[in-house]
Amino acid sequence: MTEEKYDLTTRVGRFKHFGSVDPIEGTKPTQKEDMKDLQQTKKDFLFAIDHVGINQVKYPVIIDHMQSVGNFSLSTSLTRDEKGINMSRLIESLELHYHNGIELSFESLSSLTESIRTKMKQSAAQVEVKSTWFYDKASPVTQLTGRAHAQIGYTINKDENNEDRKFYMQSDVTTLCPCSKEISEYSAHNQRGTVTVSLDLYDHKDIPKNHKEIVLEIMEANASSQLYPILKRTDEKKVTERAYENPRFVEDILRLIAYDLVELDWVKGFTLICENKESIHQHDAYSQLTYNKE
C-alpha cells in the first residue's frame, strides 16, 4: 500500500499526515429550525425529577464589592411528561445577571433563580453557589490588618409560591484540648479546627446585610482562639494565652455556637460540624449537631 504524501509545510498537510480526514457531505440538517429538539419530546417518562441541570460552573462573583470566583450549581424541576431541559439556557440566565460578576446576596441570587425558573418554564428552580470571602482582620494587640478568608455559600430553592434560603460558612479556628491542659505539667496541645455552619433561614424574616460577619463572629468567639493573617510577638502571646484560657473540645464548640445561633430570629435551624486536625494523633476529632426551632 502506497503511503499518500502531504505538504508538511502547511497545517492542513500536517493534520492529514497525522490522520485527519476531510468532512463528509452529511445528510443531517444544519439549520437550528430544521433540527429535532429531543428535550421537548412529550410523553409519559414514568417519573418527575426534582433537580436537573449543571454543576461545577466556575463564574466571577462579587462579595462586598470585591471580585472572587464562585462554583455554581444550577438546576430546575422536570415534569413527568417532559424528556429533558435545554441546559444552555442555564448559562444564558447567568449571563443575563452578569455585571462584572454575580453579586452574592440573597436578593440577587433570588432574582437569578426566578429567571431560571421562568426561562426554563418549570415549576421550581435551585441556585447553589460557594465561594471564598476575603475580609480585613486586624491582629489583637498591634492592630496590623491583613486579608483573612472564609468559605461561604448560598442556596436558593424557589417555586411558584415559596422560597427556601440557606447560608453556609466554613472557617478555621484554634482549639486547645481541655484534658491535655488538665493533666500536663507544662502546657496543653492545641491544633487548627475547622468549623462548618449550615443555616436554614426563615423566608419571611429580613436577613441582616452583615450576616456573614455575624456568623463568623459567633464561630470565632466560641473557639479557644482565632487565626490571624499577621501576628507580631505581642499578638502571638495574646492569641496563645487566650487559647489556654479557653480550652474547648469539639463538642464544646458546637454547643456554644448553637446557643448563639438559636438566639438569631432569622435562623430557622442549622447543622454544625467541627473537625480538629489533631496534633498528637494520626486521626481527627469530629462532632456534628443539628437543630431545628420548629
Side-chain angles (χ1 to χ4, degrees), residues 11 21 28 40 42 46-47 53 72 102 106 113 121 128 140 142 159 168 181 186 194 197-198 219 221 248 259 264 286:
R11 182 168 285 168
V21 298
K28 298 287 182 72
Q40 297 303 307
K42 292 279 191 178
L46 306 180
F47 295 96
F72 283 82
I102 302 292
F106 288 106
T113 309
K121 300 178 181 178
E128 182 178 358
T142 60
D159 60 25
Y168 161 96
K181 177 181 176 180
Y186 305 114
T194 300
V197 174
S198 300
M219 294 165 70
R248 298 281 189 268
Y259 190 97
L264 300 178
Y286 167 84

Side-chain angles (χ1 to χ4, degrees), residues 21-293:
V21 298
D22 293 327
I24 64 172
E25 196 63 36
T27 59
K28 298 287 182 72
T30 58
Q31 301 301 313
K32 181 181 177 182
E33 56 270 20
D34 299 324
M35 296 177 180
K36 186 175 181 180
D37 189 349
L38 289 177
Q39 286 94 332
Q40 297 303 307
T41 304
K42 292 279 191 178
K43 63 180 180 181
D44 187 353
F45 288 103
L46 306 180
F47 295 96
I49 292 180
D50 297 326
H51 298 282
V52 56
I54 58 178
N55 58 16
Q56 300 298 321
V57 181
K58 296 290 191 301
Y59 205 80
V61 296
I62 302 295
I63 309 173
D64 296 342
H65 308 292
M66 294 180 62
Q67 196 168 70
S68 189
V69 177
N71 192 335
F72 283 82
S73 173
L74 311 170
S75 64
T76 70
S77 58
L78 186 65
T79 59
R80 174 173 173 162
D81 65 341
E82 293 177 292
K83 184 173 181 61
I85 65 169
N86 294 104
M87 294 192 180
S88 61
R89 295 176 185 171
L90 296 169
I91 296 295
E92 288 175 4
S93 297
L94 261 185
E95 291 293 333
L96 288 173
H97 287 76
Y98 177 77
H99 303 286
N100 293 321
I102 302 292
E103 182 185 353
L104 288 201
S105 69
F106 288 106
E107 294 77 15
S108 66
L109 294 174
S110 176
S111 177
L112 170 61
T113 309
E114 179 61 22
S115 293
I116 290 174
R117 191 181 74 83
T118 304
K119 192 174 184 67
M120 305 294 280
K121 300 178 181 178
Q122 295 294 333
S123 62
Q126 176 181 276
V127 169
E128 182 178 358
V129 55
K130 290 185 177 181
S131 186
T132 301
W133 170 42
F134 293 95
Y135 57 94
D136 293 340
K137 187 169 186 178
S139 57
V141 178
T142 60
Q143 293 296 294
L144 291 172
T145 300
R147 251 52 58 194
H149 60 85
Q151 298 302 307
I152 61 171
Y154 295 83
T155 301
I156 305 287
N157 274 293
K158 202 175 182 73
D159 60 25
E160 298 99 324
N161 304 311
N162 300 297
E163 179 174 303
D164 180 56
R165 298 177 290 184
K166 300 180 187 295
F167 177 69
Y168 161 96
M169 180 176 286
Q170 184 178 81
S171 187
D172 292 333
V173 296
T174 297
T175 59
L176 184 135
C177 179
C179 60
S180 176
K181 177 181 176 180
E182 178 69 25
I183 64 178
S184 299
E185 295 288 351
Y186 305 114
S187 184
H189 79 84
N190 61 73
Q191 56 272 319
R192 184 181 300 176
T194 300
V195 179
T196 304
V197 174
S198 300
L199 303 180
D200 291 318
L201 308 178
Y202 285 112
D203 58 0
H204 61 280
K205 297 277 190 178
D206 290 332
I207 300 171
K209 292 289 186 184
N210 64 333
H211 56 274
K212 298 188 299 298
E213 289 82 1
I214 292 172
V215 175
L216 180 65
E217 191 278 333
I218 289 173
M219 294 165 70
E220 293 187 329
N222 288 300
S224 297
S225 195
Q226 302 178 26
L227 307 183
Y228 295 88
I230 301 174
L231 290 175
K232 307 302 278 186
R233 275 173 290 182
T234 53
D235 298 310
E236 187 172 350
K237 172 181 169 65
K238 181 71 174 179
V239 168
T240 53
E241 288 178 352
R242 183 184 186 278
Y244 197 76
E245 293 162 357
N246 296 278
R248 298 281 189 268
F249 291 124
V250 288
E251 303 94 323
D252 300 327
I253 292 177
L254 293 195
R255 286 167 169 155
L256 290 168
I257 291 174
Y259 190 97
D260 284 345
L261 291 176
V262 167
E263 295 191 320
L264 300 178
D265 64 358
W266 42 278
V267 172
K268 179 169 59 176
F270 48 80
T271 296
L272 310 177
I273 296 173
C274 184
E275 297 174 277
N276 279 351
K277 295 292 184 184
E278 290 291 304
S279 59
I280 61 171
H281 302 290
Q282 288 187 317
H283 59 259
D284 296 339
Y286 167 84
S287 184
Q288 180 171 330
L289 183 157
T290 299
Y291 182 85
N292 193 315
K293 292 181 182 179

